[in-house]
Amino acid sequence: MLPTLVAGTARSSAVEAKLMTKVRDLMTITCVTAPPTMPVLEARQLMLEKRIRHLLITDGPTLVGIVTDRDIRLNLPSPATSLSVWEINYLLARMTVSAVMAKNLITIDSGREAREAAQLLLEHKIGALPVVDHGHLVGIITETDVLRAFVKGD
């Protein structure tokens, strides 16, 4: 059973303080990025090695897209395919992340409240928001970061 929050209690103050936390306090600043020319299989391997679900795609200093583990999974051939192993490998080796990445990005500024980031994640049913300040990628905030903030200190 969840506790009831009563205005003026220490518990409600702690929740209010967490809601006032800024994105910069929760975001991950060591972003894993890849160029749009990276093959999908290489991106998949990188994501597995780094244990991440969201890969930011940059062209030089510019953020141009994001690829999720789901994007990659949906673009891999079905086990029921009639293609041969060689044909599959040939096609996959030529497919780059630019073909599967989301290009219409929803981003957030590091100075915004974490509550706003959580609202965007919920509204758009996404798991991560690239954090961009003055046109420069400065981090990423994920649903895990937001959940960690609410669990921390309890």
Side-chain angles (χ1 to χ4, degrees), residues 34-49 52-53 55 57 66-77 88-103:
T37 56
M38 179 180 273
V40 169
L41 290 180
E42 192 177 322
R44 180 178 181 220
Q45 188 59 39
L46 176 63
M47 292 170 78
L48 288 171
E49 287 172 9
I52 58 172
R53 291 182 291 157
L55 181 61
I57 309 304
I66 188 168
V67 172
T68 67
D69 56 345
R70 183 175 185 267
D71 296 330
I72 291 176
R73 228 179 16 258
L74 290 174
N75 283 281
L76 293 177
I88 292 170
N89 287 333
Y90 174 77
L91 292 172
L92 289 177
R94 296 177 52 99
M95 187 186 313
T96 63
V97 292
S98 64
V100 300
M101 70 182 183
K103 295 174 182 90

Side-chain angles (χ1 to χ4, degrees), residues 133-152:
D133 286 344
H134 309 291
H136 292 33
L137 177 66
V138 295
I140 186 170
I141 186 165
T142 66
E143 57 193 354
T144 303
D145 296 326
V146 174
L147 287 171
R148 188 178 293 120
F150 282 94
V151 171
K152 189 177 182 181

